[in-house]
Amino acid sequence: MCGIVGYIGKKQAYPILIKGLKRLEYRGYDSTGIALINGDTHIYKRKGKVSDLESVIQDENLSGTIGIGHTRWATHGEPNDCNAHPHASQNGKFIIIHNGIIENYDRLKEKLKNRGYTFESETDTEVLANLIEYIYMKGGKAVTAEIAVRMALSKVIGAYGIVVIAKDEPDMLIAARKGSPLVIGVGEGEYFIASDATPIIEHTKTVIYLNNDNVAVIKRNELVLKTIQNDELIPEVQELTMDIGAIEKQGYDHFMLKEIFEQPQSITDTFRGRISLDLSEIRLGGLFDVMPKLEAAKRILIVACGTSWHAGLVGEYLIEEFARIPVEVEYGSEFRYRNPIITPEDIVIAISQSGETADTLAAIELAKQAGATVLGVCNVVGSSIPRETHAGVYTHAGPEIGVASTKAFTAQVTVLTMMALMLGHRKGILPDKLYRELIKELVAVPDKIEKILKQNENFVKIAELYKDATNSLYLGRGFLFPVALEGALKLKEISYIHAEGYPAAEMKHGPIALIDKNMPVYVLATKDKSYDKIVTNIQEVKARNGIVIAVVTEGDTVIKGIADHVLEIPKCHEAIAPLLTVVPLQLLSYHIAVMRGCNVDQPRNLAKSVTVE
């Protein structure tokens, strides 16, 4: 992985490719490259950023109306010029860009070596390029470039999203997908190819999403869609709802800051149309057909990765509290390999911002094979998870460009809150009065977050004090324990400060040994049924000279008299508190990372959409 862009049409390809690659920078990458057809094929690639590539090729021949580009996040082979994409086959017959992992590349490589092929890079992608070429040249005139690509892919084990240039058929691009997303934009006498819609949106809103085992043969005025087995398909054309403004910074210094400040709107967009005007009922139309199964469920499994896993933990607390259904939350990467017990009576909820998370998709397939009903909670329309699940609910966070997820988390928690409340009420467990009170509380969240955001300057001052810390601890109880985990993740992934989240009571089972005058401890201490216990935990930290930064309910005087710093949030029901308490932690992490000179939107070693294991 990480980013793919391609163009075939009447316009010059290079400006489209370069701008498209810049649109894809948010996904995280370590090298970049392009290939252009202008009578011959030209490949330019370089370790580093897109700007580094631009600077070294500005005097090259960059003409041509067909081309492909790639940003690479290293899997096989270190980041360097040689391992960057595109890769050419040994005899130059094929040029390829590739997202994903070819799991049997080693075995294929050995076979190709035995047939005289040599390799310049350490990548699995070059193996695929040479495999396509070997099949093409061995087959003679009976084998076209398209056939060679399809035959090669039938021998591949793993995940891929590829775009291929064939030197002998230069007025064509071939795209194929299995497990790694590809979308094709349809224009007038032109087509755009990308790993997601961000490079396409400014050119066209008409798109085709490739499904697994799809192969698209693309010419300027024609697109033929097939399976790898050569069965022709009718492309399903869809309209993008994304707005170009959503993928611009719009005056903010970073996408992450913009997305933190967008949360009042993204939460509103997520519950808009799903809560009745009189605030008496929640309706999630995407779950209508599966509601009988949901109401009868004896167990719910939630599978997710990273920040989505933390949202799933909040969902566990909410569903068990209000619907009284046992919930287990699993990492997708563990679930798929540990032979889990799944029954046809189970409900599995898969959560993913991108809808393309490889481990979560594998978990979905496992659950479906066991006969479970699988639901999706996803942000990206047309992505794999909505297509692979039986039903689900879209979040409406809009495009999230920053690698560190912020508004996607709160949108996911908003959906899970609505699911828990609706399910509890339909089961007769959640009384009408409390149901309506909680709906009212949820609808009030955007305005309350606006109040928190107005304290931004206070967060800057606190960040300045603790930007040089080497370790941090995050503590929470009940609904706020998952928020502690999420706060710690935000700090470590963008500022590179080691941070851990713990249930506050577990501090005495190990982490308390770390506390000293240099250890900032972030404590989620709002007014709830655990309040007295969390006050005791704070006192234990202070007794060991620890630094306490507490997130409290506005007006709190007890903790204000103990903690070194307090960050106030508006009063709310404890079940709604995760949506508010996470915002100060996001802002503190952001400001600390900026002060440390970190690349906030593109943290080192991270990618936005983890489409490989």
Side-chain angles (χ1 to χ4, degrees), residues 198-459:
T198 52
I200 290 175
I201 185 63
E202 62 190 281
H203 304 291
T204 179
K205 289 198 171 185
T206 305
V207 297
I208 299 164
Y209 291 97
L210 296 193
N211 291 316
N212 280 340
D213 297 321
N214 282 184
V215 178
V217 182
I218 308 164
K219 300 180 181 179
R220 285 180 174 83
N221 293 294
E222 180 186 36
L223 183 147
V224 177
L225 190 63
K226 298 182 176 183
T227 66
I228 290 174
Q229 293 75 31
N230 201 33
D231 299 319
E232 283 213 27
L233 302 168
I234 298 174
E236 182 183 347
V237 179
Q238 300 184 39
E239 291 296 310
L240 287 174
T241 57
M242 185 188 302
D243 175 29
I244 187 67
I247 58 173
E248 302 286 357
K249 289 182 184 174
Q250 297 180 323
Y252 287 90
D253 290 337
H254 298 92
F255 281 111
M256 183 180 177
L257 184 63
K258 172 177 176 271
E259 288 154 9
I260 291 171
F261 273 78
E262 284 176 340
Q263 287 176 113
Q265 186 61 53
S266 59
I267 291 171
T268 300
D269 290 343
T270 296
F271 65 61
R272 180 186 283 119
R274 292 163 168 173
I275 294 177
S276 61
L277 293 176
D278 63 358
L279 307 185
S280 66
E281 188 179 2
I282 295 170
R283 306 184 191 98
L284 298 176
L287 300 181
F288 180 79
D289 291 340
V290 297
M291 277 311 300
K293 287 186 177 180
L294 259 174
E295 291 176 41
K298 296 292 187 288
R299 182 177 71 149
I300 293 174
L301 295 164
I302 296 176
V303 292
C305 300
T307 285
S308 296
W309 187 79
H310 296 154
L313 285 178
V314 178
E316 175 186 12
Y317 280 74
L318 291 165
I319 294 168
E320 291 193 343
E321 175 78 16
F322 297 120
R324 307 307 296 159
I325 300 172
V327 179
E328 297 175 25
V329 184
E330 299 264 8
Y331 284 112
S333 55
E334 288 295 309
F335 187 79
R336 65 184 293 193
Y337 288 119
R338 70 169 187 81
N339 193 23
I341 299 171
I342 313 169
T343 72
E345 288 73 41
D346 289 332
I347 301 291
V348 176
I349 302 174
I351 308 174
S352 168
Q353 187 282 139
S354 67
E356 302 293 350
T357 309
D359 289 319
T360 305
L361 279 164
I364 288 170
E365 184 59 32
L366 186 65
K368 286 167 68 177
Q369 289 172 2
T373 299
V374 185
L375 313 179
V377 175
C378 180
N379 190 41
V380 181
V381 175
S383 58
S384 296
I385 284 178
R387 297 203 303 268
E388 295 296 327
T389 48
H390 297 112
V393 183
Y394 279 113
T395 58
H396 293 301
E400 188 177 62
I401 306 301
V403 167
S405 187
T406 52
K407 64 177 181 173
F409 174 79
T410 49
Q412 289 166 351
V413 172
T414 300
V415 165
L416 292 166
T417 303
M418 288 191 291
M419 288 177 66
L421 298 182
M422 181 183 71
L423 192 53
H425 189 250
R426 289 176 68 100
K427 285 170 64 72
I429 295 168
L430 186 60
D432 285 351
K433 183 180 178 182
L434 181 56
Y435 181 52
R436 291 188 176 93
E437 286 175 4
L438 288 168
I439 291 174
K440 187 177 179 181
E441 288 259 11
L442 181 60
V443 171
V445 163
D447 287 341
K448 291 179 178 180
I449 291 179
E450 291 283 9
K451 289 184 68 175
I452 296 169
L453 295 172
K454 287 176 182 176
Q455 303 175 49
N456 190 36
E457 287 306 311
N458 187 32
F459 302 139

Side-chain angles (χ1 to χ4, degrees), residues 459-472 491 495 497 517-522 542 546-549 564-565 588 592 595-596:
F459 302 139
V460 172
K461 293 174 185 176
I462 295 172
E464 179 66 41
L465 294 173
Y466 303 111
K467 63 182 174 60
D468 296 319
T470 54
N471 295 282
S472 294
L491 186 69
S495 72
I497 295 172
K517 63 181 181 179
N518 299 312
M519 170 72 86
V521 181
Y522 299 86
K542 292 305 299 175
I547 302 160
V548 174
I549 302 104
D564 297 270
H565 311 277
L588 281 172
I592 287 171
M595 291 172 186
R596 290 169 64 88

